[in-house]
Amino acid sequence: VFLMIRRPPRSTQGVSSAASDVYKRQIQQGDVGDVFFLLESGEAYATKLLPGQKEPQKVMDYKKGAYFGELALIRGTPRAASVFAKSDCVCLTLDRHSFKRLLGPLDDLLKRNTSIYAQFADKI
């Protein structure tokens, strides 16, 4: 279970951050990816069910300042991995439209950073 705290956007439509309205969210491999996450506090990790495996394998750790969910938005594909909280987490979130509008100019940089996932590229 992924614990996030969100509040309605201030001046930037589609951007949310910490305050109230606590809700739980589990990012599940294979789900539709419509939100980008930037970890403001807490720690999380990603798991991926790899071909030929019965149990998901841990593939990434996230700490404050890390981000996830970009692959589904960049590629227009389902979630490549599941993400779980190690502790209470607060995330800044961007919906798909805001992600493209605000981070579109960084698309090449974000694509370059996907090389971090290269060892799983044929499975993502």
Side-chain angles (χ1 to χ4, degrees):
V1 173
F2 196 87
L3 175 65
M4 288 189 295
I5 305 171
R6 293 178 45 169
R7 73 172 156 221
R10 287 178 276 229
S11 60
T12 307
Q13 185 179 8
V15 178
S16 298
S17 187
S20 59
D21 299 333
V22 176
Y23 74 101
K24 295 177 182 178
R25 170 174 267 186
Q26 180 178 353
I27 309 308
Q28 186 66 43
Q29 181 178 348
D31 282 355
V32 173
D34 56 358
V35 178
F36 171 78
F37 299 87
L38 176 63
L39 196 56
E40 288 187 90
S41 67
E43 295 185 6
Y45 65 96
T47 64
K48 182 167 181 61
L49 183 60
L50 302 170
Q53 300 290 321
K54 293 183 180 182
E55 296 293 323
Q57 305 297 308
K58 185 175 173 184
V59 294
M60 188 74 71
D61 285 298
Y62 300 107
K63 294 184 178 186
K64 180 180 178 179
Y67 59 87
F68 51 91
E70 78 283 4
L71 286 179
L73 297 177
I74 291 170
R75 296 179 176 171
T77 58
R79 296 278 184 209
S82 298
V83 179
F84 301 92
K86 288 183 184 178
S87 62
D88 287 353
C89 293
V90 177
C91 287
L92 174 81
T93 61
L94 290 173
D95 60 34
R96 180 181 298 276
H97 175 74
S98 299
F99 177 84
K100 291 291 188 183
R101 182 172 50 88
L102 297 172
L103 299 179
L106 301 175
D107 199 50
D108 289 337
L109 174 65
L110 291 169
K111 285 179 183 175
R112 186 190 75 210
N113 288 343
T114 62
S115 65
I116 295 168
Y117 314 121
Q119 61 183 322
F120 305 105
D122 59 335
K123 299 165 184 78
I124 294 179

